[in-house]
Amino acid sequence: MERKNQLTIWYWVAVIGLLIGMQYYLLSSHVTTIPYSDFKTLLAAGKVTQATVSQGTINAQVDVTGTKDLLPAHEYQSLMSTPATSGPQMRQIVTDRVDDPQLTAELQAAHVRYSGAAESPWLRMLIGWVVPIALIVLLWSWLMRRGAGAGPGLMMGVGQSKAKLYTESKTGVRFADVAGIDEAKQELEEVVQFLRNPERFRGLGGKIPKGVLIVGAPGTGKTLLAKAVAGEAGVPFLSISGSEFVEMFVGVGAARVRDLFAQAQQRAPCIIFIDELDALGKARGISGITGNDEREQTLNQLLVQMDGFDSQSGVIILAATNRPEILDPALLRPGRFDRHVAIDRPDIKGREAILKVHAKNVVLSPEVDLAVVAAKTPGFAGADLANIVNEAALHAARENKKAVEPKDFDEAIDRVIAGLEKRNRVMNAKEKETVAYHEAGHAVVAENRAHADRVNKISIIPRGIGALGYTQQLPTEDRYLLKRSELLDRLDVLLGGRVAEELVYGDVSTGAQDDLQRATDMARHMVTQYGMSERLGQVAFDTMRSGPFLTVPQAPQQMNYSEETARIIDEEVGRLIKDAHDRVAQTLTEEREVLEALARLLLEKEVVDRASLDALLREHRNASSVAAAAAPSGELTPAAPLGPRARRSG
Ligand code: ADP
Ligand code: ZN
């Protein structure tokens, strides 16, 4: 609360400043205080027209014409600078009263209209202090009330709180806007039916879930789906994000939860949507470095509220997370989020459908085949695809085209995959050559392996940070299971870049680091998870525990095997890499001519597409004869989740 204190101090500085200012204004600005003697001079000169005599002071109205010589210069000036009163020459003065028995007689003699006032110091006090203080207190309490309503309020200087409850009476999203995730839609259909007609369900005694947890990778359309449920049912959609609760002061999050549920009860039937549930629903006790009282309180409040209301009331809570494994188990108990709907990254058909939804309002040239775009974007989530359509349209617009062409889509895919092109990034000739050989190495190996994905495009244009070039492979289908032979071929392709550098220069560059890392990871998975090592046999070692949607590697968990086994694992991983290295070296030595030709072509053109690659291969040899020789073998393994990256070799 350090910050709060500081801000409070500033608040009081401002208040005191304001008070002093008010005093100054009230008491001095339009009245000049002059010494009693000067007052007497003015009176004697007949300049005083009217006076109010009170206990301590005399307020008088003075005609300033011809008083210039009667008063000291500064006094005359300040008198003139005060606003005129009843006439242009009239000014108000005040003087402290001196015990002067003759005063009334003199006033009389000068024909001054005068009156006495039982002026109390109270009145001055009231005007000068009490009224402003009352005003300030009012202001303060008003701000406090706002503060309580919307998190730390204005006077804290932190602006509006981020935790906002978004209420949409009509989301306008329908199931038709959500493509490629039909199973999830089906599961939520029941919720829609209930919200449309709660009475009917109640009559039938149907059991309705209170909470549905939507689980899926970022950008797969969880929020969209929740909105579509509200849209289909025609009910209000109240949404709030879990991560926004947590930044607040202790107690505020819990209050928000109460408020949220109170509002929902009023608006029932309706949907409460809590995005990023994991941010507030992290298992208690495994919070980070600092104790997280606020989060726990908020979570507890959520649990209490969920238990406290009756699902028959027509309020359904949808929550989204991409990390279900870290949620507090209490959240998943019956009566809470006991229904789970999983959204996977879309498959090729799903991707095409999503692209169609987003391309609805885009003018496409007849050559554009969204199925082809879908084929080029394995591992992309809905949000990535929406982004691609948008980027493609922008690209077409920049080039003043009438319709979006396939080229624009290719450009958009490249952008999304590898970041913006940075053509102007300077690379010296030697570096460029190294990158050309490196990428050519990946490509040649890929073309020589029966189970490797076809090369779609090779580029040595530096993109984004880190990637100096890339070889894009186009899988012919989506894969969920990979055979050992396929994994080995992938391993070879990954090593292709590095081995090419070795062959050509007898040396390697740092550019192959990412490839090596991925090759090592893959080999380790083959040994420890898929039981693909002959020496260790069909055993899975639980070296890593990560959730199905977790892309960040987690800290290794406790080992459940001996040091001896660990050593063998390391040896086996090393052996897999070594064998792959030898195979690749052999291939590239045999294909040296193609490698050189491709590298030269790359240096010349910077980008080599499939057609040019085919032409080059045809010219030099018959690539397919070698590829046909390799034969598939035994076991099946689940494919690792493939993000857009997984298809590239950098
Ligand atoms: P999440 O909540 O899972 O992170 P969002 O629902 O916010 O993802 O998705 C972001 C955007 O991506 C959506 O607004 C939509 O434009 C697009 N999108 C994602 N999934 C789909 C889908 N299945 N169908 C159509 N558009 C989708
Ligand atoms: Zn590489």
Side-chain angles (χ1 to χ4, degrees), residues 177-181 216-225 275 354 357-358 382-383 386:
D177 301 318
V178 189
I181 46 176
T220 45
K222 300 182 291 294
T223 312
L224 191 70
L225 186 62
D275 204 356
I354 294 172
V357 166
H358 288 279

Side-chain angles (χ1 to χ4, degrees), residues 438 442 515 649-650:
H438 179 103
H442 284 307
D515 295 340
S649 346

Side-chain angles (χ1 to χ4, degrees), residues 11-21:
Y11 174 79
W12 283 113
V13 167
V15 163
I16 289 165
L18 194 72
L19 273 178
I20 291 173

Side-chain angles (χ1 to χ4, degrees), residues 254-496:
R256 289 249 93 190
V257 172
R258 272 195 302 276
D259 187 45
L260 176 66
F261 278 80
Q263 282 205 35
Q265 298 276 22
Q266 272 170 25
R267 311 191 65 157
C270 70
I271 282 181
I272 295 179
F273 178 65
I274 305 175
D275 204 356
E276 300 175 74
L277 182 67
D278 45 283
L280 104 122
K282 237 178 262 169
R284 283 163 291 192
I286 64 160
S287 62
I289 316 117
T290 52
N292 214 330
D293 279 356
E294 165 60 1
R295 213 199 53 229
E296 288 191 9
Q297 271 194 26
T298 310
L299 174 58
N300 287 337
Q301 187 58 236
L302 178 65
L303 296 174
V304 167
Q305 291 291 335
M306 282 191 85
D307 291 343
F309 85 91
D310 180 8
S311 63
Q312 305 294 322
S313 64
V315 179
I316 291 204
I317 309 159
L318 301 182
T321 181
N322 55 348
R323 311 178 67 186
E325 68 282 347
I326 64 164
L327 287 182
D328 195 305
L331 270 172
L332 308 177
R333 261 181 226 135
R336 294 169 184 166
F337 293 106
D338 48 2
R339 277 240 199 142
H340 300 178
V341 173
I343 304 187
D344 286 327
R345 286 207 169 87
D347 61 5
I348 185 161
K349 287 244 170 60
R351 290 198 298 274
E352 190 183 340
I354 294 172
L355 286 166
K356 274 205 181 111
V357 166
H358 288 279
K360 235 179 355 208
N361 300 319
V362 176
V363 186
L364 297 181
S365 99
E367 291 105 78
V368 173
D369 183 355
L370 291 177
V372 172
V373 180
K376 287 181 184 170
T377 48
F380 280 44
D384 303 325
L385 296 167
N387 195 8
I388 279 178
V389 174
N390 189 40
E391 285 281 341
L394 285 177
H395 192 261
R398 265 201 297 277
E399 307 205 331
N400 289 322
K401 292 181 188 165
K402 293 222 162 51
V404 184
E405 292 165 7
K407 213 175 132 278
D408 300 315
F409 273 101
D410 288 343
E411 192 70 27
I413 294 169
D414 287 354
R415 262 174 193 249
V416 174
I417 287 182
L420 289 169
E421 265 191 27
K422 291 214 175 118
R423 276 177 195 278
N424 52 0
R425 178 166 152 179
V426 271
M427 202 180 358
N428 67 38
K430 183 75 189 159
E431 274 175 351
K432 199 165 157 183
E433 195 190 83
T434 311
V435 176
Y437 275 108
H438 179 103
E439 297 304 332
H442 284 307
V444 170
V445 175
E447 288 305 303
N448 273 283
R449 292 292 180 266
H451 308 297
D453 295 324
R454 265 162 54 101
V455 173
N456 184 46
K457 182 177 181 181
I458 316 157
S459 161
I460 58 165
I461 297 170
R463 277 149 196 273
I465 309 154
L468 294 174
Y470 69 89
T471 302
Q472 188 187 43
Q473 289 168 268
L474 190 57
T476 32
E477 61 203 304
D478 273 12
R479 301 301 302 271
Y480 296 102
L481 292 168
L482 287 173
K483 293 184 185 125
R484 180 183 148 92
S485 51
E486 289 166 323
L487 286 172
L488 288 176
D489 282 0
R490 287 194 176 189
L491 208 54
D492 288 5
V493 175
L494 278 174
L495 291 177

